Amino acid sequence: MGTNKNDTPLLEVRHLKKYFKTGYGMLHAVDDINFTIERGTTLGVVGESGCGKSTLGRVAMGIYPATSGKLYYAGEELNLKNAATRFKYAKKAQIIFQDPYASLDPRMTVSSIIEEGMVIHGMYDAKRRQERVYELLELVGLNKEHANRFPHEFSGGQRQRVGIARALAVDPEFIVCDEPVSALDVSIQAQILNLLMDLQDKFGLTYLFITHDLSVVRHISDEIAVLYVGQCIEKAPSSELFKRPLHPYTKMLLSSIPVPSINSRHRHREVIRGEVTNPIDPKPGCRFASRCQYCTERCLEGDMQLREVDKGHFVMCRLFKD
């Protein structure tokens, strides 16, 4: 994991919201989220399927327009509704998708896939672009013999390496990693995670790393944000979150991580009961209340706020005060 090179965060998100209109009301996919990511570091975003993780990543990339809120990149506000700004930002910020097969055009060779971003942004001449493709393939653990093959000729892990090479092609500073290892075998997951960390150290990259797997995010993240029904309900440095989780939901998530041990059957597990709160026009109060054993009347009232209860450790829960 990298170190800070500058006092200004590379990415800052303020009161970000993304709602989708449905036939039943407004779906609150991302609901008033705030965070910063320092240069050369990784913010891990975790939570159950449907909690808003991928939507958050797509809004941060400008793929989805925000309903409201602001994005700042290197201290400057981003207006991603402006086509010129979005084009310029796309060279600095890239994304690695979850499904390495669906995200690669099956009709294009690996060389064309990796080169495409360089062509779009007018980088280098044709000869240098081809050389750069070979360099990138070597960098991600492939070789130049792979350049003229098509995506279907590769394994899942190799395809994800191609996806990483494509993201690196335009020399970005910031990469959204949207569940980049969840579709891969466990043994391959470790290889891809190690590759991403090596690339971060080599190039000073900054990551927004999205996953539902806490054991994955623990090793790659400097800081972790836990999402639940569109809201960030806890945020802390990685080591602190695993050592001292505060929110009842976070505690339940951590207790569900499999631990290889002959005594694991005696390990206490907190089971998450009940149904996830409907994200369409959610009621005031804590969205985890219906599943929480500590719920009181106060938990069902008013807007919830993320509060700093210890240095750098924030939680959205009425059990804790400032």
Side-chain angles (χ1 to χ4, degrees), residues 137-153:
L137 286 170
E138 296 280 351
L139 192 63
V140 299
L142 299 173
N143 57 63
K144 66 180 185 180
E145 281 73 37
H146 292 121
N148 294 320
R149 297 184 189 176
F150 291 87
H152 73 270
E153 299 179 69

Side-chain angles (χ1 to χ4, degrees), residues 162-180:
V162 173
I164 293 168
R166 174 177 61 182
L168 293 173
V170 294
D171 300 327
E173 300 173 307
F174 172 60
I175 298 179
V176 173
C177 305
D178 186 7
E179 301 253 23

Side-chain angles (χ1 to χ4, degrees), residues 23-142:
Y24 303 97
M26 296 300 291
L27 190 153
H28 293 219
V30 173
D31 208 356
D32 200 20
I33 285 181
N34 299 273
F35 64 79
T36 60
I37 312 179
E38 304 295 335
R39 291 175 181 271
T41 68
T42 299
L43 173 66
V45 178
V46 298
E48 296 173 77
S49 296
C51 71
K53 306 184 300 294
S54 291
T55 301
L56 175 62
R58 281 161 168 72
V59 174
M61 277 295 300
I63 296 171
Y64 294 162
T67 300
S68 64
K70 294 184 177 181
L71 288 168
Y72 294 85
Y73 190 84
E76 295 185 10
E77 185 176 349
L78 282 173
N79 176 16
L80 294 178
K81 293 179 181 177
N82 179 283
T85 302
R86 198 165 61 248
F87 181 79
K88 186 177 178 182
Y89 179 59
K91 188 175 183 299
K92 297 175 181 176
Q94 286 288 304
I95 185 168
I96 301 165
F97 293 97
Q98 176 179 354
D99 188 338
Y101 190 73
S103 62
L104 303 177
D105 190 330
R107 297 164 298 179
M108 294 173 68
T109 63
V110 163
S111 181
S112 299
I113 288 168
I114 296 172
E115 188 185 20
E116 188 176 27
M118 292 185 272
V119 173
I120 290 169
H121 289 281
M123 298 171 68
Y124 318 124
D125 58 28
K127 183 173 182 292
R128 176 61 189 131
R129 284 198 302 269
Q130 191 60 64
E131 290 172 353
R132 183 67 179 142
V133 167
Y134 295 155
E135 290 170 5
L136 288 163
L137 286 170
E138 296 280 351
L139 192 63
V140 299
L142 299 173

